[in-house]
Amino acid sequence: EPEVTQTPSHQVTQMGQEVILRCVPISNHLYFYWYRQILGQKVEFLVSFYNNEISEKSEIFDDQFSVERPDGSNFTLKIRSTKLEDSAMYFCASREARSSYNEQFFGPGTRLTVL
Amino acid sequence: GNSVTQMEGPVTLSEEAFLTINCTYTATGYPSLFWYVQYPGEGLQLLLKATKADDKGSNKGFEATYRKETTSFHLEKGSVQVSDSAVYFCALTTPGDYKLSFGAGTTVTVRA
């Protein structure tokens, strides 16, 4: 069964460093998402991406964040200068364009720890 | 905007007990409703879904009925197993706004 994959599973970085989180969505899906979950809190939407551009972003997704689909298979989230409060689990998700149930398929997540 | 409210956990049950997790929502537009489950150390998996009023979603013995009059989508299972220990998230999307809005999650622990 096709699945969304994410790498790395755990990333530890120093405050102020850049990180890139990588995702490979399901191959025939056209809508892509990033969510995050700070420990003990709810899952929050960050950004959605369709047709090579951002279709929606939340207030969390400020100028420090960017997304890219560099090669038609990978979907990346970059944080330019990490802060302590960026420590969270980051989930990638994808959705088939014509899904009548708007079902999103999630990857296993990347745990980001900022020291 | 859209929001989801779930009963707070943690919930601890014995095997074969009945489980209910309450979920209510507010939405602009006609929402589709979902329950996602997160097993320890894993990502989010869709458990069940319902897209219109009075629909019942079901999977792995879990059920939830879309109640428009009470804006609710409560999750139930008649006889839980240790393997049902997980965090359960209620979520919704609305037409034209395909991002998911999640509840806070309910941690369920089932003891043998």
Side-chain angles (χ1 to χ4, degrees):
Chain A
E1 185 174 336
E3 58 182 15
V4 177
T5 60
Q6 290 185 244
T7 55
S9 57
H10 191 188
Q11 174 89 48
V12 181
T13 189
Q14 296 291 323
M15 189 170 55
Q17 295 297 303
E18 175 183 286
V19 295
I20 298 176
L21 310 183
R22 302 182 193 281
C23 168
V24 179
I26 294 172
S27 61
N28 65 331
H29 286 188
L30 298 179
Y31 290 82
F32 313 113
Y33 303 83
W34 284 100
Y35 294 82
R36 80 172 184 190
Q37 182 185 26
I38 294 172
L39 186 63
Q41 298 186 23
K42 67 168 61 177
V43 178
E44 302 171 292
F45 167 76
L46 291 178
V47 65
S48 60
F49 191 87
Y50 170 70
N51 199 25
N52 285 319
E53 60 183 24
I54 291 173
S55 49
E56 187 176 358
K57 60 183 180 179
S58 72
E59 293 176 352
I60 303 167
F61 195 88
D62 61 22
D63 292 345
Q64 293 300 311
F65 291 86
S66 63
V67 289
E68 194 177 32
R69 190 157 160 79
D71 57 12
S73 62
N74 289 284
F75 179 52
T76 62
L77 174 69
K78 181 192 292 186
I79 308 175
R80 289 188 182 79
S81 178
T82 50
K83 303 187 283 286
L84 295 176
E85 54 265 37
D86 293 328
S87 295
M89 181 74 88
Y90 288 81
F91 293 105
C92 174
S94 68
R95 178 172 69 86
E96 186 179 7
R98 295 183 178 182
S99 169
S100 61
Y101 294 119
N102 303 330
E103 180 176 345
Q104 294 180 26
F105 294 83
F106 283 79
T110 293
R111 180 167 297 285
L112 176 65
T113 302
V114 182
L115 302 176
Chain B
N2 297 336
S3 69
V4 178
T5 303
Q6 276 182 250
M7 64 180 282
E8 293 188 14
V11 175
T12 302
L13 302 165
S14 297
E15 235 177 353
E16 300 183 4
F18 184 86
L19 170 68
T20 299
I21 304 175
N22 289 340
C23 171
T24 58
Y25 66 88
T26 59
T28 53
Y30 202 117
S32 295
L33 303 173
F34 305 85
W35 277 99
Y36 278 83
V37 59
Q38 185 179 28
Y39 297 105
E42 299 185 15
L44 296 164
Q45 300 176 26
L46 180 66
L47 180 61
L48 54 82
K49 59 195 176 191
T51 60
K52 62 182 188 297
D54 300 324
D55 271 0
K56 178 185 284 188
S58 61
N59 186 26
K60 300 182 180 180
F62 289 89
E63 292 183 340
T65 300
Y66 189 143
R67 299 288 188 201
K68 199 167 192 298
E69 65 276 14
T70 55
T71 61
S72 64
F73 193 54
H74 304 321
L75 183 69
E76 297 181 336
K77 185 173 185 180
S79 177
V80 293
Q81 305 300 312
V82 172
S83 57
D84 294 324
S85 298
V87 182
Y88 293 82
F89 293 92
C90 187
L92 68 82
T93 62
T94 48
D97 178 27
Y98 297 112
K99 67 180 181 291
L100 283 162
S101 296
F102 285 90
T106 303
T107 300
V108 174
T109 302
V110 180
R111 301 195 187 283

